[in-house]
Amino acid sequence: MNRKKIIAGNWKMNKVIEESLSFINELKEAVRGINDNIEIVVSPPFTALSVINDAIKGSNILLAGQDVFWEDKGAYTGEISPMMLKDVGCKYTIIGHSERRQYCNETNETVNKKIKALLRNDLSVIICVGETIEEREDKRTFSVVGRQIRDGLKGLTQKDMEKVVIAYEPVWAIGTGKTATPSQANEMHLFIRDTIKEMFEDKIASSITIQYGGSVTPLNITELMLESEIDGALVGGASLDAGSFVQIIRGAV
Ligand code: PGA
């Protein structure tokens, strides 16, 4: 199966506009000409999206938001709508990141509402799922991740699913330097693909891009990408330096 590969950099709450711009100028030069069925995505903070959108014009870099609100507009102080993300050039939005689940009361239900809001505004989604270390030790990994997928994608149509990407990010691997082994990650990706197969058509399950996230670096990307079910990476810490992000992209091609 020739699935689309995606390497996405999740900047989280890092970089002011000037830092964002100097990163993007370096990245643009370094990835010129890389196509090869791989999408290169960056996810700057909201404040930098507009200038980065201008800076990437004509390049092969795509933009993602880090979150969105589930209503289209109205009295929701502090929130950002799908249309606003579209307005500044986002193709994707990351939804349900474990940090939002941990610090911002994100639940499978709010994840589902946000995904539907993005889809009805014609935006694509990267939905993050993954278990904590306690859940893994309690042997609840499959039930937790299965529930995140089933509840998060509840009510979506086959057509909607063409705009959905999944990122499997074990919480214990995020920012800890502890990557899941390639076979641990692949086992989960296979489980996620099987869950998608139960919910949607086989064709959706075999074509959906499933990224791995959690302490991805230039040193481990290639062995992760060699696994049959791993189609890319969602990278946090190592995506903040343009040089290391470029090495990850090159290691994934
Ligand atoms: P990390 O973060 O690469 O720093 O572990 C990944 C993520 O949170 O998406």
Side-chain angles (χ1 to χ4, degrees):
M1 180 81 219
N2 198 18
R3 287 188 289 265
K4 181 169 66 184
K5 296 187 214 168
I6 306 175
I7 299 293
N10 173 15
W11 296 6
K12 311 189 180 186
M13 199 173 70
N14 292 293
K15 296 191 191 296
V16 294
I17 290 173
E18 199 183 320
E19 294 165 323
S20 303
L21 271 177
S22 77
F23 175 102
I24 222 70
N25 289 332
E26 197 179 332
L27 181 66
K28 242 177 14 182
E29 278 308 309
V31 299
R32 201 185 292 278
I34 297 183
N35 278 314
D36 207 24
N37 195 31
I38 192 163
E39 281 191 353
I40 301 165
V41 181
V42 292
S43 187
F46 291 137
T47 48
L49 284 171
S50 179
V51 284
I52 297 293
N53 184 35
D54 290 340
I56 60 175
K57 293 248 158 72
S59 79
N60 51 349
I61 301 167
L62 299 169
L63 261 190
Q66 294 182 18
D67 185 36
V68 76
F69 193 58
W70 58 74
E71 295 291 350
D72 289 346
K73 63 173 170 176
Y76 304 102
T77 302
E79 296 295 342
I80 300 280
S81 75
M83 198 48 105
M84 291 167 186
L85 293 180
K86 208 170 169 174
D87 195 32
V88 289
C90 288
K91 170 173 181 185
Y92 291 100
T93 302
I94 300 169
I95 296 295
H97 191 279
S98 64
E99 286 147 16
R100 296 209 60 85
R101 294 179 190 261
Q102 183 182 352
Y103 302 118
C104 307
N105 300 321
E106 192 83 277
T107 62
N108 291 333
E109 196 193 353
T110 57
V111 163
N112 183 250
K113 290 200 309 192
K114 290 177 176 187
I115 290 176
K116 286 178 174 160
L118 290 164
L119 293 170
R120 72 173 173 262
N121 284 281
D122 207 28
L123 283 154
S124 298
V125 176
I126 300 175
I127 173 179
C128 303
V129 297
E131 79 289 357
T132 63
I133 192 65
E134 293 78 20
E135 289 161 347
R136 180 162 277 263
E137 283 168 357
D138 285 355
K139 310 222 173 320
R140 292 196 292 127
T141 301
F142 292 107
S143 66
V144 167
V145 173
R147 176 74 32 233
Q148 289 171 335
I149 296 281
R150 285 180 187 282
D151 290 355
L153 302 179
K154 198 163 158 179
L156 267 59
T157 64
Q158 315 280 347
K159 185 93 191 122
D160 287 337
M161 287 302 290
E162 290 170 12
K163 288 190 168 299
V164 174
V165 169
I166 298 173
Y168 169 62
E169 300 204 302
V171 180
W172 47 271
I174 296 178
T176 57
K178 280 190 217 149
T179 331
T181 63
S183 68
Q184 264 176 334
N186 204 53
E187 178 189 34
M188 289 310 296
H189 284 224
L190 204 52
F191 167 74
I192 290 168
R193 221 175 276 291
D194 284 344
T195 308
I196 297 293
K197 199 187 273 182
E198 285 165 20
M199 296 177 71
F200 303 96
E201 287 170 5
D202 287 9
K203 190 176 79 190
I204 303 286
S206 57
S207 61
I208 193 166
T209 296
I210 308 180
Q211 301 174 291
Y212 169 78
S215 296
V216 172
T217 68
L219 297 178
N220 57 28
I221 184 66
T222 304
E223 56 171 8
L224 285 162
M225 293 297 289
L226 283 175
E227 294 292 328
S228 61
E229 308 306 320
I230 301 182
D231 312 313
L234 182 55
V235 189
S239 79
L240 291 174
D241 173 74
S244 88
F245 191 51
V246 169
Q247 282 181 47
I248 290 173
I249 294 163
R250 293 199 180 281
V253 175

mmCIF file of all heavy atoms in Angstrom, residues 21-37:
data_model
loop_
_atom_site.group_PDB
_atom_site.id
_atom_site.type_symbol
_atom_site.label_atom_id
_atom_site.label_comp_id
_atom_site.label_asym_id
_atom_site.label_seq_id
_atom_site.Cartn_x
_atom_site.Cartn_y
_atom_site.Cartn_z
ATOM 1 N N LEU A 21 10.167 32.727 11.903
ATOM 2 C CA LEU A 21 10.564 33.092 10.541
ATOM 3 C C LEU A 21 11.961 32.611 10.203
ATOM 4 O O LEU A 21 12.200 32.099 9.108
ATOM 5 C CB LEU A 21 10.505 34.608 10.376
ATOM 6 C CG LEU A 21 9.167 35.164 9.910
ATOM 7 C CD1 LEU A 21 9.227 36.682 9.867
ATOM 8 C CD2 LEU A 21 8.767 34.590 8.541
ATOM 9 N N SER A 22 12.884 32.735 11.149
ATOM 10 C CA SER A 22 14.232 32.304 10.792
ATOM 11 C C SER A 22 14.272 30.782 10.652
ATOM 12 O O SER A 22 14.957 30.242 9.771
ATOM 13 C CB SER A 22 15.295 32.860 11.740
ATOM 14 O OG SER A 22 15.302 32.162 12.922
ATOM 15 N N PHE A 23 13.478 30.085 11.471
ATOM 16 C CA PHE A 23 13.373 28.622 11.311
ATOM 17 C C PHE A 23 12.856 28.281 9.909
ATOM 18 O O PHE A 23 13.413 27.442 9.206
ATOM 19 C CB PHE A 23 12.413 28.059 12.370
ATOM 20 C CG PHE A 23 12.126 26.586 12.241
ATOM 21 C CD1 PHE A 23 12.744 25.663 13.064
ATOM 22 C CD2 PHE A 23 11.225 26.110 11.285
ATOM 23 C CE1 PHE A 23 12.481 24.299 12.947
ATOM 24 C CE2 PHE A 23 10.961 24.750 11.155
ATOM 25 C CZ PHE A 23 11.590 23.846 11.982
ATOM 26 N N ILE A 24 11.770 28.946 9.526
ATOM 27 C CA ILE A 24 11.093 28.562 8.282
ATOM 28 C C ILE A 24 11.960 28.883 7.065
ATOM 29 O O ILE A 24 11.972 28.133 6.091
ATOM 30 C CB ILE A 24 9.682 29.205 8.209
ATOM 31 C CG1 ILE A 24 8.669 28.198 7.674
ATOM 32 C CG2 ILE A 24 9.606 30.426 7.337
ATOM 33 C CD1 ILE A 24 8.327 27.092 8.551
ATOM 34 N N ASN A 25 12.721 29.972 7.136
ATOM 35 C CA ASN A 25 13.599 30.291 6.006
ATOM 36 C C ASN A 25 14.678 29.217 5.827
ATOM 37 O O ASN A 25 15.004 28.815 4.713
ATOM 38 C CB ASN A 25 14.203 31.685 6.180
ATOM 39 C CG ASN A 25 13.117 32.745 5.976
ATOM 40 O OD1 ASN A 25 12.140 32.515 5.238
ATOM 41 N ND2 ASN A 25 13.245 33.890 6.650
ATOM 42 N N GLU A 26 15.205 28.736 6.956
ATOM 43 C CA GLU A 26 16.209 27.678 6.889
ATOM 44 C C GLU A 26 15.582 26.381 6.353
ATOM 45 O O GLU A 26 16.147 25.713 5.490
ATOM 46 C CB GLU A 26 16.768 27.460 8.307
ATOM 47 C CG GLU A 26 18.069 26.707 8.335
ATOM 48 C CD GLU A 26 18.605 26.525 9.764
ATOM 49 O OE1 GLU A 26 18.310 27.367 10.661
ATOM 50 O OE2 GLU A 26 19.300 25.511 9.980
ATOM 51 N N LEU A 27 14.395 26.072 6.861
ATOM 52 C CA LEU A 27 13.724 24.827 6.447
ATOM 53 C C LEU A 27 13.398 24.833 4.952
ATOM 54 O O LEU A 27 13.617 23.854 4.249
ATOM 55 C CB LEU A 27 12.437 24.637 7.280
ATOM 56 C CG LEU A 27 11.635 23.371 6.987
ATOM 57 C CD1 LEU A 27 12.431 22.123 7.392
ATOM 58 C CD2 LEU A 27 10.287 23.376 7.728
ATOM 59 N N LYS A 28 12.884 25.977 4.503
ATOM 60 C CA LYS A 28 12.475 26.106 3.101
ATOM 61 C C LYS A 28 13.623 25.763 2.155
ATOM 62 O O LYS A 28 13.461 25.016 1.203
ATOM 63 C CB LYS A 28 12.063 27.559 2.844
ATOM 64 C CG LYS A 28 10.632 27.677 2.436
ATOM 65 C CD LYS A 28 10.101 29.058 2.214
ATOM 66 C CE LYS A 28 11.001 30.231 2.079
ATOM 67 N NZ LYS A 28 10.273 31.495 1.904
ATOM 68 N N GLU A 29 14.787 26.317 2.453
ATOM 69 C CA GLU A 29 15.962 26.062 1.622
ATOM 70 C C GLU A 29 16.327 24.587 1.641
ATOM 71 O O GLU A 29 16.580 23.966 0.614
ATOM 72 C CB GLU A 29 17.164 26.864 2.157
ATOM 73 C CG GLU A 29 17.180 28.307 1.708
ATOM 74 C CD GLU A 29 17.032 28.425 0.193
ATOM 75 O OE1 GLU A 29 17.788 27.745 -0.531
ATOM 76 O OE2 GLU A 29 16.145 29.175 -0.272
ATOM 77 N N ALA A 30 16.319 24.026 2.864
ATOM 78 C CA ALA A 30 16.820 22.660 3.038
ATOM 79 C C ALA A 30 15.907 21.602 2.421
ATOM 80 O O ALA A 30 16.377 20.528 2.047
ATOM 81 C CB ALA A 30 17.027 22.371 4.524
ATOM 82 N N VAL A 31 14.612 21.884 2.341
ATOM 83 C CA VAL A 31 13.705 20.820 1.848
ATOM 84 C C VAL A 31 13.236 21.061 0.416
ATOM 85 O O VAL A 31 12.406 20.318 -0.091
ATOM 86 C CB VAL A 31 12.471 20.618 2.779
ATOM 87 C CG1 VAL A 31 12.910 20.216 4.167
ATOM 88 C CG2 VAL A 31 11.582 21.856 2.804
ATOM 89 N N ARG A 32 13.797 22.083 -0.197
ATOM 90 C CA ARG A 32 13.441 22.348 -1.597
ATOM 91 C C ARG A 32 13.666 21.086 -2.434
ATOM 92 O O ARG A 32 14.698 20.442 -2.306
ATOM 93 C CB ARG A 32 14.351 23.476 -2.116
ATOM 94 C CG ARG A 32 13.823 24.205 -3.326
ATOM 95 C CD ARG A 32 14.852 25.213 -3.824
ATOM 96 N NE ARG A 32 15.073 26.335 -2.906
ATOM 97 C CZ ARG A 32 14.284 27.402 -2.838
ATOM 98 N NH1 ARG A 32 13.233 27.499 -3.614
ATOM 99 N NH2 ARG A 32 14.556 28.376 -1.996
ATOM 100 N N GLY A 33 12.650 20.704 -3.191
ATOM 101 C CA GLY A 33 12.833 19.533 -4.066
ATOM 102 C C GLY A 33 12.461 18.202 -3.434
ATOM 103 O O GLY A 33 12.361 17.203 -4.126
ATOM 104 N N ILE A 34 12.272 18.169 -2.115
ATOM 105 C CA ILE A 34 11.851 16.891 -1.517
ATOM 106 C C ILE A 34 10.351 16.739 -1.757
ATOM 107 O O ILE A 34 9.564 17.565 -1.309
ATOM 108 C CB ILE A 34 12.116 16.841 0.012
ATOM 109 C CG1 ILE A 34 13.604 16.944 0.309
ATOM 110 C CG2 ILE A 34 11.525 15.570 0.633
ATOM 111 C CD1 ILE A 34 13.956 16.822 1.775
ATOM 112 N N ASN A 35 9.971 15.709 -2.463
ATOM 113 C CA ASN A 35 8.543 15.461 -2.671
ATOM 114 C C ASN A 35 8.257 14.025 -2.303
ATOM 115 O O ASN A 35 7.813 13.733 -1.224
ATOM 116 C CB ASN A 35 8.121 15.755 -4.116
ATOM 117 C CG ASN A 35 7.890 17.245 -4.296
ATOM 118 O OD1 ASN A 35 7.234 17.863 -3.473
ATOM 119 N ND2 ASN A 35 8.454 17.802 -5.345
ATOM 120 N N ASP A 36 8.542 13.161 -3.243
ATOM 121 C CA ASP A 36 8.587 11.738 -2.962
ATOM 122 C C ASP A 36 7.464 11.254 -2.036
ATOM 123 O O ASP A 36 7.699 10.550 -1.055
ATOM 124 C CB ASP A 36 9.958 11.427 -2.327
ATOM 125 C CG ASP A 36 10.346 9.973 -2.608
ATOM 126 O OD1 ASP A 36 9.837 9.429 -3.601
ATOM 127 O OD2 ASP A 36 11.132 9.424 -1.829
ATOM 128 N N ASN A 37 6.249 11.664 -2.292
ATOM 129 C CA ASN A 37 5.108 11.177 -1.515
ATOM 130 C C ASN A 37 5.223 11.472 -0.024
ATOM 131 O O ASN A 37 4.742 10.713 0.819
ATOM 132 C CB ASN A 37 4.927 9.665 -1.739
ATOM 133 C CG ASN A 37 3.573 9.193 -1.269
ATOM 134 O OD1 ASN A 37 2.594 9.947 -1.309
ATOM 135 N ND2 ASN A 37 3.502 7.958 -0.795
#
